[in-house]
Amino acid sequence: MKKIFYIDESGNTGANWLDLSQPYFIYGGFLIAEHQLENINKLYLNWMNGLQRQSNKELKSSKIIKNLKGRRAVVDILTNVLKQDSVIPFIWIADKKFLLSIKLVETFFDPEYNPRLDVSFISEFKVKTSLANFI
């Protein structure tokens, strides 16, 4: 069965990974079976019409969840989407400080970026994880 993967991020302040006002980077989305796309699109369009929003611009949760009506609308669409067969939600949350350590490891300790290192140095995933955890 073919599935479509929809993903979006939240809390991304670009290269400012130490931004204390947004300390987490979050990915969220859905894995949807191709045969469910039409149903999901109908639910979404009905939901958007209920919000009286006709724009094709990106929908920002910070604007929707400011009031009770918006929060109820979000619960409604999520409830209806999750009732569908073959729809799998996911969420991934990372502390941006840890992401910075991962970037440092990738930049300085990966032969792909540092040609002085032998490929065998970092071939073990555990080595990269240990370095990032240490930093």
Side-chain angles (χ1 to χ4, degrees):
M1 165 184 348
K2 185 175 177 182
K3 295 189 179 202
I4 310 297
F5 191 57
Y6 291 92
I7 186 171
D8 199 7
E9 47 67 33
S10 175
N12 185 7
T13 50
N16 187 2
W17 291 351
L18 299 177
D19 183 355
L20 297 178
S21 68
Q22 291 186 359
Y24 301 103
F25 184 82
I26 302 167
Y27 276 122
F30 293 93
L31 186 62
I32 301 172
E34 189 175 45
H35 73 272
Q36 285 291 59
L37 287 179
E38 189 174 332
N39 291 338
I40 298 300
N41 282 332
K42 284 180 187 176
L43 285 170
Y44 176 73
L45 291 174
N46 287 338
W47 182 71
M48 289 293 280
N49 287 335
L51 290 176
Q52 299 173 344
R53 183 180 171 89
Q54 303 297 324
S55 172
N56 288 332
K57 293 181 182 179
E58 183 177 12
L59 191 59
K60 298 287 187 182
S61 66
S62 61
K63 293 183 179 179
I64 295 174
I65 62 173
K66 285 184 177 180
N67 60 54
L68 184 58
K69 180 182 176 187
R71 289 190 295 272
R72 285 183 177 153
V74 170
V75 169
D76 181 53
I77 187 66
L78 289 175
T79 301
N80 284 309
V81 166
L82 294 174
K83 284 180 183 176
Q84 304 300 308
D85 179 38
S86 303
V87 174
I88 302 168
F90 77 93
I91 188 168
W92 178 80
I93 303 170
D95 187 317
K96 287 184 183 177
K97 291 178 192 172
F98 186 71
L99 292 177
L100 181 58
S101 68
I102 292 169
K103 183 64 174 170
L104 287 170
V105 170
E106 288 294 322
T107 302
F108 297 109
F109 299 104
D110 193 315
E112 186 73 28
Y113 302 101
N114 185 349
R116 295 182 200 167
L117 294 174
D118 185 88
V119 175
S120 63
F121 174 77
I122 203 82
S123 62
E124 285 286 324
F125 182 73
K126 291 178 184 177
V127 174
K128 289 170 105 172
T129 303
S130 295
L131 283 169
N133 284 329
F134 178 76
I135 292 170

